[in-house]
Amino acid sequence: MTKIDVLLGLQWGDEGKGKIVDVLTPDYDVIARFQGGPNAGHTLEFGGIKHVLHIIPSGIFHTDKVNLIGNGVLIEPRIFRQEIEELDAKGVDATRNLLVSKKAHLILPSHRMMDAANEQAKGNSKIGSTLKGIGPAYTDKIARTGLRVGDILASDFRERYIMLKEQHIRMAQTLGFDIDSFRIDGLGLDQYEQLWMESLDTLKRFRFVNSEYFINQCLRDGKRVLAEGAQAMMLDIDFGTYPFVTSSNTITAGVCTGLGVAPSTIGKVMGITKAYCTRVGAGPFPTELFDETGAKLCELGHEYGATTGRPRRCGWIDMPALRYACMINGVTELYVTKPDVMNDFDQVCMCTAYDIEGRQTDEIPFEYNTVPIHPVLTPFAGWKQSLAGIENYNDLPANLLSYLAAIEQQTGVRIAAVSISPDRKDVLFKAQ
Ligand code: IMP
């Protein structure tokens, strides 16, 4: 029996998970997504072309790998169809190697409407949702009113769909939401619904499976399975910066519920962190930079959301948050991405503790959202050189190696590799 390895983001998302999964894929037979939905945007770049995936696992470009959408994932059929068509246009036939759990829940057009209605009702305390219907669809899952992929094949699917949609319409009306003016991709709810219904035909072309049996059989057969996280640790519904979080368990524990595997089957936990830090949407971000250094990180790092195009908030790496992430997830190795963004910085900083009302702590406080948190910063001399062409970890500039060593020392977790450009060839593994 093999173990299932896990790869997840340790910050607020966009750490470069898609790319690292893509690099690691040759080592695995199965790549499985266990949570999240089209709020995710996993960017992969190879052969000079950029590919963005939302719900399809990042192993899809490797035809000999099985890709699985697990029960913990949310599927919006219209977005799914678009993703499949984009792959088709690139000559990738996903029907060959993509399986879908029958228990994965569906995002209805009216879930997307409810996302907009809820955000509007929040006024100034908006979460900054991607508005893909994630919160409302998971709400229906927990309320036991949701519809699942397997339900599409049931004879009463349409009636159940209409019942749920009408419930959402009543809820939106109660919130005073203007349903008639609501648009998805420029279309009204009814028009979009038509496209959504047509897209079910695309979904039906895929093999629906009881994925918990499939994945456990894979492990018994000695297959190597990689669970690919979406969003990230600090957006976890339980341990993230609640309520400024997504609606799923993004952490290692989510692999067990999102795929149906026992905790004892978890093997390596690979955590990804940027060499600095970013966040999209609202919520606390103690190391955020509001000056030109923040703007420079955003510009040089091309920090614009892969799903929404929104500029990301940028700041220094946050060790209290990273240590917390390593603890909650049982991270066994770190992958550090994008140090190259800071190549011409005279100095880079690392937050090693928080100062809260004059008291220093390295714990994430319950009052994370409400008390002013001042980062205690340790400066490091910049490396002031391009990293282009460097092929070995140990050939990285000495100042960058010191910075990376400090990350290891602060987290107590070894770095497995560092990624120095968007291209899949530029991931430098560190000798054991
Ligand atoms: P939702 O998951 O769309 O409801 O969004 C909730 C919060 O999570 C918002 O602040 C989003 O910006 C953030 N979020 C959701 N998905 C991602 C992601 O894949 N990367 C980064 N942030 C995300």
Side-chain angles (χ1 to χ4, degrees), residues 77-375:
R78 168 78 183 145
I79 299 180
F80 177 79
R81 180 181 204 157
Q82 285 169 330
E83 219 172 318
I84 295 298
E85 284 172 353
E86 274 166 36
L87 287 170
D88 261 344
K90 288 172 181 152
V92 178
D93 173 9
T95 54
R96 279 187 308 210
N97 59 341
L98 176 65
L99 307 179
V100 182
S101 167
K102 290 182 193 172
K103 293 192 174 78
H105 277 246
L106 295 172
I107 299 178
L108 274 52
S110 50
H111 281 132
R112 296 183 65 174
M113 177 188 69
M114 280 309 301
D115 221 355
N118 289 337
E119 277 287 72
Q120 182 187 286
K122 286 197 174 88
N124 285 337
S125 18
K126 284 187 182 36
I127 286 167
S129 163
T130 61
L131 299 178
K132 301 290 179 200
I134 304 296
Y138 277 126
T139 300
D140 274 327
K141 174 176 178 173
I142 301 301
R144 297 161 294 185
T145 44
L147 286 169
R148 300 182 290 176
V149 165
D151 296 328
I152 296 172
L153 306 174
S155 56
D156 62 349
F157 176 70
R158 243 184 198 275
E159 289 89 87
R160 289 166 67 189
Y161 171 92
I162 289 166
M163 251 173 65
L164 190 54
K165 178 178 100 172
E166 286 176 349
Q167 185 185 319
H168 295 150
I169 289 176
R170 285 193 297 278
M171 281 155 61
Q173 282 163 341
T174 312
L175 290 171
F177 187 69
D178 180 0
I179 298 171
D180 293 336
S181 305
F182 175 67
R183 296 282 176 275
I184 306 177
D185 299 343
L187 302 174
L189 199 57
D190 291 344
Q191 280 172 302
Y192 189 81
E193 179 180 279
Q194 232 178 324
L195 294 180
W196 189 95
M197 286 290 177
E198 285 164 20
S199 303
L200 294 178
D201 289 337
T202 303
L203 195 50
K204 284 181 195 158
R205 284 171 41 213
F206 289 81
R207 214 174 111 207
F208 296 169
V209 289
N210 286 319
S211 58
E212 61 277 32
Y213 282 107
F214 172 81
I215 212 90
N216 280 290
Q217 189 60 47
C218 285
L219 297 176
R220 278 196 297 274
D221 291 346
K223 297 230 163 68
R224 289 152 310 165
V225 182
L226 178 66
E228 173 185 12
Q231 291 79 52
M233 159 66 207
M234 296 304 281
L235 292 170
D236 179 78
I237 185 75
D238 282 283
F239 299 105
T241 48
Y242 191 89
F244 302 101
V245 291
T246 191
S247 297
S248 62
N249 279 119
T250 57
I251 55 177
T252 305
V255 175
C256 298
T257 55
L259 288 175
V261 292
S264 58
T265 63
I266 303 291
K268 282 198 286 191
V269 179
M270 299 171 272
I272 311 187
T273 175
K274 276 181 192 165
Y276 51 97
C277 198
T278 63
R279 172 162 207 172
V280 208
F285 181 2
T287 61
E288 183 168 10
L289 291 163
F290 298 94
D291 56 8
E292 73 253 23
T293 309
K296 197 166 155 185
L297 283 171
C298 184
E299 262 336 285
L300 297 175
H302 308 290
E303 296 295 355
Y304 298 90
T307 298
T308 58
R310 293 178 289 180
R312 297 178 185 137
R313 301 155 64 192
C314 296
W316 300 122
I317 195 164
D318 179 335
M319 285 302 148
L322 205 55
R323 276 193 290 267
Y324 185 63
C326 290
M327 174 181 82
I328 297 284
N329 291 290
V331 175
T332 58
E333 51 193 57
L334 289 171
Y335 285 74
V336 180
T337 59
K338 301 181 91 167
D340 50 300
V341 169
M342 301 192 287
N343 281 352
D344 79 336
F345 282 34
D346 293 330
Q347 174 180 288
V348 299
C349 289
M350 178 180 285
C351 165
T352 47
Y354 296 153
D355 183 314
I356 303 177
E357 291 162 347
R359 193 179 54 85
Q360 279 202 14
T361 176
D362 64 1
E363 270 194 20
I364 303 291
F366 175 79
E367 304 79 7
Y368 210 53
N369 303 331
T370 49
V371 290
I373 299 176
H374 300 287

